[in-house]
Amino acid sequence: MDEKDIVLVNELIENSRAPLTHLAKKLGMTDVAIKKRLKKLEKEGVIRKYTIEVDPTKLGFKHVALIGIDTEPEKILDVSTQLVSKEYAYKVYLTTGDHMLMLEAWAKDNKHLTQIIEDIGKIPGVKRVCPAIILEKLK
């Protein structure tokens, strides 16, 4: 990856629907050259998919929580597989640090969040569930 690739990726992070003409102008290149770079970045796995960011509250979710989950070490993959299949799991991460797994959950209300926490706690191998409600997304 060179400097132009980095600029291109950063532009797409900000707006994955940015037109090729905008990207070409920003980088001082032709549309065709941008398209070739994008194909190369996709092939190399730098760009895995183009997506959107949504506001969960506009979809009826009052709470977004980051939930730290600790498991029995030998059960971590089983637990993570189950978490990935849950409809409330927006994102699931295998991590180092305070918790073995981190889950971003979207909850409709307090009762739903309580149900999510209880559901996670019932998964065989889960030792501890530590939720933190996001008050405001800053970046």
Side-chain angles (χ1 to χ4, degrees):
M1 279 187 52
D2 63 16
E3 187 64 34
K4 289 191 179 209
D5 288 336
I6 293 168
V7 172
L8 181 58
V9 168
N10 284 328
E11 286 292 315
L12 291 171
I13 288 170
E14 287 298 313
N15 180 7
S16 64
R17 292 187 62 183
L20 289 178
T21 52
H22 166 77
L23 298 170
K25 185 176 181 181
K26 180 86 175 182
L27 284 124
M29 301 173 74
T30 66
D31 295 11
V32 173
I34 293 295
K35 193 169 187 170
K36 284 181 182 178
R37 280 184 181 261
L38 288 173
K39 291 291 181 200
K40 180 184 88 136
L41 292 168
E42 291 165 0
K43 184 178 179 184
E44 292 173 351
V46 174
I47 297 174
R48 295 187 299 196
K49 67 180 179 176
Y50 297 87
T51 187
I52 61 171
E53 181 177 333
V54 300
D55 181 345
T57 62
K58 303 288 186 195
L59 298 173
F61 296 98
K62 291 184 180 178
H63 299 297
V64 175
L66 296 178
I67 302 173
I69 302 157
D70 296 324
T71 71
E72 296 168 11
E74 65 277 3
K75 296 285 188 175
I76 192 165
L77 294 178
D78 294 337
V79 171
S80 62
T81 299
Q82 287 192 53
L83 290 172
V84 167
S85 71
K86 302 292 186 179
E87 83 285 341
Y88 54 74
Y90 183 68
K91 294 185 179 179
V92 179
Y93 300 99
L94 182 63
T95 64
T96 63
D98 291 341
H99 303 289
M100 301 165 90
L101 297 165
M102 292 295 294
L103 177 138
E104 181 178 329
W106 294 7
K108 295 173 188 150
D109 52 33
N110 289 339
K111 183 179 178 183
H112 186 214
L113 182 56
T114 300
Q115 291 169 339
I116 290 168
I117 293 165
E118 289 173 354
D119 184 60
I120 294 169
K122 291 177 184 174
I123 296 172
V126 169
K127 293 182 355 183
R128 193 168 94 173
V129 181
C130 302
I133 295 173
I134 295 175
L135 299 175
E136 182 179 353
K137 183 178 177 184
L138 303 174
K139 182 177 180 182

